Amino acid sequence: MASLLEQFRETSSLYGSNAWFIEDLYERYLKDPESVDPDWRQRFRALQNGAGYETPHSPIVERFAELALKSQGRLAQLQGFTEESVKKQAAVARLINHYRVRGHQIANNNPLGTTLPSPPDLDPAFYGLSEPDMDTWFDTGILHGVDRLPLREIIANLKEIYCGSIGSEYMHIADTPTRRWLISRMENAKGNLTLDPEKQRWVLKLLTAAEGIEVYLHNKFVGQKRFSLEGGESLIPVLDELIMGCSTKGVSEIVIGMAHRGRLNVLVNILGKSPAQLFDEFAGNWASTPGVSSGDVKYHMGFSSDIDTPTGPVHLTLAFNPSHLEIINPVVEGSVRARQDRAGIDGKESVIPVLIHGDASFSGQGIVMETLNMSQTRAFETGGTIHIVINNQIGFTTSNPKDARSTLYCTDIASLIQAPVFHVNGDDPEAVVFVSKLALDYRMTFKKDVVIDLICYRRLGHNEADEPAATQPVMYKKIRSLKSTRTLYAEKLIAEGVLTAEKAAAMVLDYQRMLDEGLVVSRPLSQNPKYSYTHQWNNFHGRDWEVPGDTAVSLDRLRYCNDRMLRLPAGFELHPRVAKVMDNRRKMAAGALPLDWGFAENMAYATLLMEKYHVRLTGQDVGRGTFVHRHAVLHNQQKKEEYIPLRHLDKDQGRADIYDSLLSEAGVLGFEYGYSTTMPNTLTIWEAQFGDFANGAQVLIDQFISSGETKWGRLCGLVLLLPHGFEGQGPEHSSARLERYLQLCAEHNMQVCTPTTPAQIFHLLRRQLVRPYRKPLIVMSPKSLLRHKLAVSTLEDLTGGYFQTIIGEVDGIDPNQVTRFVLCAGKVYYDLLEARREADLKHVVIARIEQLYPFPNDQFKAELAKYPNLEEFVWCQEEPKNQGVWYQSNHHFHDNLAPHIRVSYSGREASAAPAVGNFYVHIKQQKAVVDSALYGNPAGN
């Protein structure tokens, strides 16, 4: 009896704050006993005296009250409980639980003073509790570690913990140990957030710096945009606390992503950028950087430094960011994952991401959801991100906050991944510091995302020239009456005797003096940088695109790699179709079959891995390939098991990471861009399911991939595989929008290629790493050519070849008879070749250009020079005339041709859509394109 009584006391809803847990667990037991742990099943059965029937689904509190009064409830009677006292205790337990769930809604955490209406279930009367109950003692469970308190004190404690400067949202988290950890951390603190005097003075110094740089810039550079942090100065103590906490926990690197607001403040006061350098930028004195021609505005620029802390240096990186606000999120995550991979097994402990958001963009930008959704996937997890939302409570100066979102909080999107959210008053620096510690501890403990909602305001408009009162008169009347966070905190510390008014004023003057002298005003910078990897890019700066690289591989190496890739674990059964592919690859390596695309592509990866390069390949169906050609990830047909042969070539090989991604373009491509800018010796590839779908990530292509070098000096060797080809599959499954990439090409910023043979993709992928040249590579990869009878190669093409920017005529046509030269790119080449052979035309040669940018002028001229009697040059393409290559590249044709040679276009007429949706119309069009190129009178010039 005693043991059962002890069990009942520990688990029953009669015992305070355990009720919320029991309610949930017992309801699950009633619905399906097998859904709870065996130990709990045993406990619940004991409470029912072994009854074999299922208890009705009445409210759990009433059920336990009944149990307490029935024969098996004599245990409760022995304790002196009555039916009324049981109900009162259960009511108190529910009240405690609802403060945990909804207390944040009435927290005093808004500097502007506006609050939400109090939920009715935070009113004791809602549970039948009244004034006479206020002095009654009740069990509290684990509330602040006190077993029993009068109801009046219980409520006071709950308000202090959950309704003060911090509103905590965490009860939506499904994992019980995680919730209990958070309850313990919140309730043990009991709202006591006070810092020791030394720390208080340090926080005031940080706020002085945060306010001081803004005042200084405002006075010195009147009218210039700086996207001030004023109103949100507590961001600086948040970041400082995170850095110090990271250092004590062994974190060596922090990568930060943020948009405009407060960026200059963070650069100077956190990362240690020289104020003198910043002032030069304001004055228009811009120092050029290798590879940078256009540059960028100062509040987009990135920075890195090593900050000295008492426990060692911490390397900080602030990522470069365009005006597209949250688009930096996946880029930062990719860079962090690369650094973690570089660090090895403890990478997630030593490198963490910090993302700083705006309130409207956090709730409004879809890339936020994509990045959050990636956070716990195999391919993209980084061990948890600390998110900080600078909550201005207004999206843009002219917007009504009610129009910014459809959710209660701007952070509600974080519930997607069950992240805890701490809504903290930006005017309470000590609460801000507490939340910063808690967030870091949570991330390091659970390796999951956490959100700090820094509720503040924007003292000025969207920028310093903007007048916010024109559209938000009431809000800004209130804001202009408020003292700054620094002023409020200084007054608090003076009142508490922590420092004198004179000392507080001296902080301001001292900071201004340091700015005048151009001194670094952050924590000291390390004089011995420990984590800088910029030198790994030195060999790639200033290289010409024609820099050579030997991509050929010996026959022995190819056969070794193929043999290792065909070895499977014992008992691993392949699907019959996959087994046939593997058997064919064995024959290809032996020279018994021509090489197909899948063989050559896998050999490119394998040989690079054997040379100790790394390979990372992601996309929505990359393991097998959307068109079922790759089969880099094999699946056991007998049990749920996968095997990646590329990981099992040799004990000293490079790392092979191949992941099917979530259904995202922008988020995944951003991640891979960030990864590639951090790891120059990894072949980082993103493959679109169809090339058409890459436009879902157009911001990344425009703002980062094509222009990252010219704006910021950032090199990357990212590869985009974009399946492209007109095969009658309709407007959204034909075109990778080749014309858009060519339009973005300038200053040799990237490479755009259209390989048409297995050997070409083999050498192209290997060239991307083997030669000392790192530029993005855009590949118009094939679909039907993956198995085309003519699109094959030989072993000799791999062992003795190289990537050919132009492939000339392959048939033995007499050059002196040739009057028409047809140049094309991609799949249409094989249509032209078969039609020309069938018609036995002797005056027409067909060449294919495999690299469209940088345009291979010398190779093009050499090919033309073979034909002395040339009269007509025809560019043939599958794409409509306003798309594809014609408009973007025909100037290259004119520049390299003799004046007497007529230049013509052969292809589809201009169209608003990339392709027709009717297969039979497609066939008719395709035949017309081929006939036009071969027989003359092509449409248009």
Side-chain angles (χ1 to χ4, degrees):
M1 178 69 71
S3 62
L4 186 56
L5 177 61
E6 181 180 353
Q7 173 179 300
F8 189 76
R9 287 175 56 86
E10 288 178 354
T11 60
S12 172
S13 64
L14 302 179
Y15 283 81
S17 59
N18 289 330
W20 61 271
F21 173 69
I22 293 295
E23 287 178 4
D24 175 66
L25 197 63
Y26 191 62
E27 285 295 327
R28 284 167 49 196
Y29 168 78
L30 294 178
K31 294 177 182 177
D32 179 11
E34 298 301 315
S35 69
V36 302
D37 290 340
D39 182 61
W40 280 109
R41 289 202 298 271
Q42 182 178 350
R43 293 181 183 217
F44 290 138
R45 289 190 188 114
L47 291 176
Q48 295 176 340
N49 275 346
Y53 55 87
E54 184 170 342
T55 306
H57 288 214
S58 57
I60 192 65
V61 174
E62 294 180 13
R63 174 61 181 155
F64 270 73
E66 291 174 11
L67 289 172
L69 296 175
K70 289 182 179 178
S71 58
Q72 67 265 39
R74 288 178 299 166
L75 301 172
Q77 293 177 0
L78 290 173
Q79 298 297 309
F81 290 120
T82 65
E83 181 177 4
E84 182 66 20
S85 68
V86 167
K87 288 184 177 180
K88 293 283 187 181
Q89 180 63 70
V92 171
R94 293 166 64 198
L95 177 63
I96 291 172
N97 185 55
H98 279 88
Y99 263 95
R100 290 169 178 156
V101 174
R102 303 191 68 179
H104 56 83
Q105 291 181 230
I106 58 171
N108 183 28
N109 56 5
N110 191 337
L112 300 184
T114 56
T115 57
L116 295 169
S118 180
D121 43 3
L122 295 183
D123 183 353
F126 185 80
Y127 307 96
L129 299 168
S130 60
E131 182 58 33
D133 300 310
M134 290 299 165
D135 295 317
T136 302
W137 287 66
F138 292 95
D139 289 341
T140 66
I142 61 173
L143 181 63
H144 190 46
V146 179
D147 290 337
R148 290 174 64 81
L149 282 174
L151 179 56
R152 195 181 310 278
E153 290 188 34
I154 291 174
I155 294 173
N157 284 344
L158 290 169
K159 288 183 176 180
E160 190 174 7
I161 295 166
Y162 292 109
C163 307
S165 291
I166 303 169
S168 303
E169 277 191 280
Y170 60 84
M171 291 296 284
H172 58 283
I173 298 174
D175 183 63
T176 299
T178 302
R179 287 199 313 269
R180 288 192 171 277
W181 185 92
L182 287 163
I183 288 172
S184 176
R185 288 297 299 269
M186 291 299 302
E187 296 183 2
N188 284 338
K190 195 192 169 186
N192 182 13
L193 313 177
T194 304
L195 307 174
D196 64 68
E198 183 180 355
K199 187 61 176 280
Q200 288 176 318
R201 288 188 286 269
W202 174 251
V203 171
L204 180 61
K205 185 175 181 180
L206 293 172
L207 292 172
T208 301
E211 185 177 287
I213 187 65
E214 302 294 356
V215 172
Y216 194 93
L217 292 174
H218 181 74
N219 293 331
K220 190 175 180 68
F221 302 101
V222 178
Q224 289 206 41
K225 291 181 184 179
R226 65 180 191 279
F227 296 97
S228 164
L229 187 58
E230 290 168 273
E233 292 91 345
S234 286
L235 175 67
I236 300 304
V238 170
L239 293 174
D240 184 79
E241 187 63 37
L242 290 177
I243 293 166
M244 294 302 103
C246 282
S247 180
T248 62
K249 295 178 184 297
V251 175
S252 58
E253 296 185 67
I254 302 172
V255 184
I256 303 170
M258 68 181 300
H260 312 336
R261 190 181 181 211
R263 190 180 185 90
L264 300 181
N265 207 311
V266 169
L267 280 167
V268 170
N269 287 319
I270 294 296
L271 281 94
K273 180 171 182 174
S274 164
Q277 181 182 347
L278 178 64
F279 301 156
D280 280 346
E281 293 171 2
F282 268 97
N285 301 323
W286 177 63
S288 62
T289 303
V292 174
S293 58
S294 70
D296 205 347
V297 293
K298 48 191 168 291
Y299 37 80
H300 288 176
M301 302 305 288
F303 196 79
S304 63
S305 61
D306 289 88
I307 300 296
D308 265 339
T309 77
T311 49
V314 176
H315 184 72
L316 303 181
T317 298
L318 178 63
F320 295 86
N321 194 46
S323 290
H324 291 68
L325 301 175
E326 302 290 343
I327 198 67
I328 195 61
N329 294 356
V331 176
V332 164
E333 299 292 347
S335 179
V336 167
R337 177 64 176 260
R339 294 163 194 262
Q340 291 174 344
D341 287 349
R342 185 168 60 201
I345 193 169
D346 296 325
K348 292 180 176 62
E349 301 282 350
S350 60
V351 188
I352 71 168
V354 174
L355 293 176
I356 304 172
H357 313 269
D359 52 324
S361 59
F362 193 69
S363 60
Q365 296 287 303
I367 194 67
V368 175
M369 185 280 290
E370 291 190 34
T371 307
L372 290 171
N373 198 31
M374 294 160 66
S375 66
Q376 296 298 310
T377 61
R378 290 186 303 164
F380 309 109
E381 64 172 331
T382 55
T385 299
I386 298 175
H387 301 268
I388 305 166
V389 179
I390 305 178
N391 191 345
N392 300 315
Q393 307 184 67
I394 181 172
F396 190 77
T397 303
T398 58
S399 69
N400 187 322
K402 293 181 180 179
D403 296 330
R405 61 181 182 272
S406 298
T407 58
L408 178 62
Y409 296 121
C410 65
T411 54
D412 284 350
I413 185 65
S415 65
L416 173 79
I417 56 169
Q418 298 188 38
V421 180
F422 303 107
H423 308 278
V424 61
N425 192 325
D427 271 354
D428 187 345
E430 296 184 8
V432 165
V433 169
F434 173 84
V435 161
S436 303
K437 291 179 180 178
L438 179 58
L440 178 60
D441 287 348
Y442 178 88
R443 187 273 175 194
M444 299 304 290
T445 300
F446 297 103
K447 303 297 184 293
K448 293 182 179 180
D449 290 38
V450 57
V451 180
I452 299 172
D453 179 17
L454 185 64
I455 302 177
C456 53
Y457 54 88
R458 192 166 55 204
R459 188 168 291 276
L460 304 176
H462 172 66
N463 60 60
E464 289 64 40
D466 188 38
E467 175 46 69
T471 53
Q472 299 292 335
V474 176
M475 174 183 277
Y476 275 87
K477 183 177 181 181
K478 173 70 173 178
I479 288 172
R480 283 167 182 165
S481 71
L482 297 177
K483 295 179 181 179
S484 70
T485 305
R486 189 259 170 203
T487 300
L488 291 171
Y489 194 54
E491 291 176 351
K492 176 181 183 294
L493 298 189
I494 292 168
E496 294 175 356
V498 175
L499 81 170
T500 64
E502 291 75 19
K503 289 280 189 181
M507 283 186 183
V508 176
L509 296 176
D510 188 51
Y511 185 80
Q512 291 177 345
R513 175 189 59 77
M514 295 178 72
L515 291 179
D516 284 333
E517 296 175 10
L519 301 176
V520 171
V521 294
S522 68
R523 285 185 182 270
L525 301 181
S526 173
Q527 299 306 308
N528 298 299
K530 192 176 177 183
Y531 305 106
S532 175
Y533 295 94
T534 56
H535 64 274
Q536 66 185 338
W537 294 95
N538 291 345
N539 192 39
F540 307 116
H541 285 291
R543 295 283 189 168
D544 185 80
W545 77 267
E546 292 185 302
V547 60
D550 185 3
T551 58
V553 176
S554 71
L555 184 59
D556 286 343
R557 174 57 60 89
L558 288 174
R559 285 175 171 166
Y560 172 85
C561 288
N562 189 64
D563 177 67
R564 301 297 290 188
M565 292 186 67
L566 295 176
R567 295 186 183 184
L568 302 178
F572 196 98
E573 182 178 327
L574 296 174
H575 188 279
R577 291 186 181 181
V578 180
K580 176 64 174 175
V581 170
M582 296 298 130
D583 186 55
N584 284 343
R585 288 180 183 175
R586 184 177 287 106
K587 294 175 182 177
M588 292 173 193
L593 280 179
L595 311 185
D596 66 10
W597 200 277
F599 177 90
E601 185 185 337
N602 275 285
M603 285 300 100
Y605 302 142
T607 54
L608 287 170
L609 290 166
M610 289 296 293
E611 293 167 33
K612 297 182 173 56
Y613 293 107
H614 307 305
V615 173
R616 178 179 170 86
L617 171 61
T618 64
Q620 289 162 21
D621 200 8
V622 298
R624 65 163 193 169
T626 295
F627 306 99
V628 200
H629 80 284
R630 184 173 292 120
H631 296 295
V633 179
L634 305 177
H635 297 271
N636 193 336
Q637 298 301 296
Q638 294 302 314
K639 57 183 177 179
K640 191 174 182 179
E641 178 185 11
E642 65 180 33
Y643 182 73
I644 302 178
L646 287 168
R647 291 180 177 173
H648 303 278
L649 303 172
D650 186 82
K651 64 179 181 178
D652 295 323
Q653 70 171 78
R655 184 178 56 254
D657 292 326
I658 302 174
Y659 297 105
D660 290 338
S661 75
L662 65 163
L663 199 67
S664 156
E665 282 78 39
V668 173
L669 182 55
F671 191 100
E672 301 309 332
Y673 172 81
Y675 197 100
S676 67
T677 60
T678 309
M679 295 285 269
N681 290 318
T682 296
L683 182 64
T684 307
I685 303 174
W686 176 70
E687 181 177 56
Q689 193 170 50
F690 286 85
D692 314 59
F693 299 168
N695 60 10
Q698 198 65 44
V699 173
L700 272 303
I701 295 163
D702 293 346
Q703 261 47 56
F704 291 91
I705 293 170
S706 66
S707 60
E709 182 181 5
T710 190
K711 292 190 298 187
W712 311 317
R714 299 293 287 166
L715 296 178
C716 92
L718 179 63
V719 179
L720 274 64
L721 297 181
L722 308 177
H724 175 89
F726 285 58
E727 282 128 343
Q729 297 301 308
E732 273 72 60
H733 295 83
S734 298
S735 176
R737 299 287 191 176
L738 172 58
E739 65 281 355
R740 292 182 179 172
Y741 297 95
L742 293 176
Q743 184 185 38
L744 293 170
C745 288
E747 303 176 280
H748 290 181
N749 59 330
M750 57 187 185
Q751 309 154 93
V752 179
C753 297
T754 57
T756 56
T757 71
Q760 283 288 84
I761 193 63
F762 173 84
H763 292 294
L764 180 59
L765 291 175
R766 284 185 49 79
R767 184 182 79 161
Q768 190 69 359
L769 283 192
V770 168
R771 65 175 181 165
Y773 187 77
R774 294 293 180 270
K775 298 293 177 80
L777 170 61
I778 313 300
V779 181
M780 299 290 114
S781 61
K783 295 182 288 184
S784 63
L785 291 193
L786 297 174
R787 295 177 182 82
H788 197 286
K789 65 181 184 295
L790 296 179
V792 293
S793 299
T794 66
L795 288 169
E796 289 74 21
D797 293 330
L798 274 55
T799 60
Y802 58 92
F803 180 73
Q804 303 175 70
T805 56
I806 289 182
I807 301 177
E809 176 59 56
V810 297
D811 289 347
I813 293 179
D814 182 356
N816 293 311
Q817 295 184 35
V818 172
T819 59
R820 176 176 295 159
F821 187 108
V822 178
L823 183 67
C824 63
K827 179 186 72 70
V828 72
Y829 165 76
Y830 292 101
D831 295 338
L832 290 165
L833 181 64
E834 290 182 292
R836 199 271 313 273
R837 286 175 174 175
E838 183 178 356
D840 195 26
L841 302 178
K842 302 296 187 182
H843 68 291
V844 179
V845 293
I846 307 168
R848 51 198 140 147
I849 182 166
E850 306 270 296
Q851 178 172 297
L852 292 161
Y853 191 85
F855 192 86
N857 288 289
D858 292 342
Q859 293 85 343
F860 182 49
K861 289 178 182 177
E863 200 61 39
L864 291 169
K866 296 177 181 178
Y867 308 103
N869 299 316
L870 197 62
E871 298 175 359
E872 186 176 23
F873 173 87
V874 179
W875 168 256
C876 180
Q877 67 180 42
E878 295 183 301
E879 302 87 354
K881 188 175 184 181
N882 58 317
Q883 300 169 36
V885 174
W886 176 245
Y887 281 137
Q888 298 303 325
S889 297
N890 72 71
H891 61 285
H892 293 301
F893 310 148
H894 287 281
D895 291 345
N896 289 290
L897 287 164
H900 70 278
I901 297 176
R902 185 161 66 95
V903 178
S904 303
Y905 164 83
S906 178
R908 290 170 168 82
E909 293 296 330
S911 170
V916 296
N918 184 292
F919 180 75
Y920 298 101
V921 175
H922 160 76
I923 294 297
K924 182 178 179 181
Q925 287 184 348
Q926 193 76 357
K927 185 177 187 305
V929 167
V930 171
D931 290 348
S932 170
L934 297 179
Y935 296 109
N937 300 315
N941 290 317

